[in-house]
Amino acid sequence: LTTGEAKKTIDSLASFEVPALIFSGGDPLIRPDLFDLIRYSRDRGLRPVLSTSGVTIDAQAARKIKDAGVLYVGVSLDGSEEVNDRLRGVRGSYQKALDGLRYCRDAGLVVGIRFTMSRKTVGELPVIFDLIERENIERGYFAHLVYSGRGEKFSREDLDHSETRSAVEYI
């Protein structure tokens, strides 16, 4: 969407009294007008939330996120450093994401880990819970694999009913 189209969408959501708006995607931080849209949504009465890979967040970016009006930042992690980096296809992405999460927390933002359950990640649940405890992370968000568009190729990684049940019982 263009900035104008995005603002019209925000206006529409505000007219429906939607309480929050999650800025997500691949990684919303690469969008040049993101902070303008965050401020705009806040000014329209929505609670802006950020869902990100976290890899581009440094101390300055964390302050910009907070100053724009974001209260909560969810950082996506797929498990241990080895698993996360392999699945993300970028060596060092785990450490960068964890650093980004820490920068946000240090800036006074509420932070959480966003974890997508799939056949390749569900075994990492204990690692994620250990990390949440060790880092004193306030929130954990556990989601099913949602595949659409290019993500359709990941449908074979979805958990079946019994695998989902086991994961939910663990959580």
Side-chain angles (χ1 to χ4, degrees):
L1 299 175
T2 66
T3 301
E5 291 168 334
K7 286 182 176 181
K8 284 181 184 177
T9 301
I10 291 168
D11 288 339
S12 178
L13 294 169
S15 74
F16 283 104
E17 299 180 9
V18 172
L21 177 58
I22 300 174
F23 289 89
S24 187
D27 195 327
L29 288 168
I30 64 172
R31 189 176 169 122
D33 61 353
L34 176 68
F35 295 108
D36 180 40
L37 294 174
I38 289 171
R39 283 187 289 276
Y40 188 80
S41 68
R42 182 199 60 214
D43 293 345
R44 296 288 287 133
L46 301 174
R47 181 175 165 255
V49 174
L50 184 63
S51 174
T52 174
S53 69
V55 299
T56 62
I57 300 175
D58 57 15
Q60 181 181 3
R63 282 190 301 277
K64 282 179 72 174
I65 292 165
K66 182 173 175 65
D67 291 346
V70 171
L71 300 175
Y72 170 73
V73 177
V75 175
S76 297
L77 284 171
D78 298 317
S80 66
E81 184 170 6
E82 176 189 342
V83 170
N84 186 85
D85 288 1
R86 179 171 28 87
L87 292 177
R88 298 281 165 162
V90 178
R91 194 165 193 195
S93 62
Y94 173 89
Q95 191 58 54
K96 287 179 182 178
L98 190 54
D99 289 345
L101 187 141
R102 290 171 177 155
Y103 284 125
C104 288
R105 183 183 56 208
D106 293 347
L109 292 155
V110 175
V111 297
I113 291 179
R114 299 179 63 84
F115 180 81
T116 300
M117 296 184 294
S118 73
R119 289 198 168 116
K120 290 184 178 180
T121 64
V122 72
E124 296 293 295
L125 280 169
V127 172
I128 293 297
F129 276 100
D130 287 346
L131 179 63
I132 287 171
E133 186 173 308
R134 185 174 66 249
E135 292 288 329
N136 197 28
I137 296 168
E138 296 149 77
R139 296 183 183 174
Y141 174 85
F142 302 89
H144 289 279
L145 182 63
V146 178
Y147 37 90
S148 63
R150 294 180 310 181
E152 185 66 34
K153 66 183 175 184
F154 296 110
S155 63
R156 67 186 177 279
E157 299 301 329
D158 201 1
L159 302 177
D160 65 26
H161 182 73
S162 65
E163 292 166 320
T164 299
R165 169 74 66 189
S166 293
V168 169
E169 286 174 1
Y170 182 86
I171 292 167

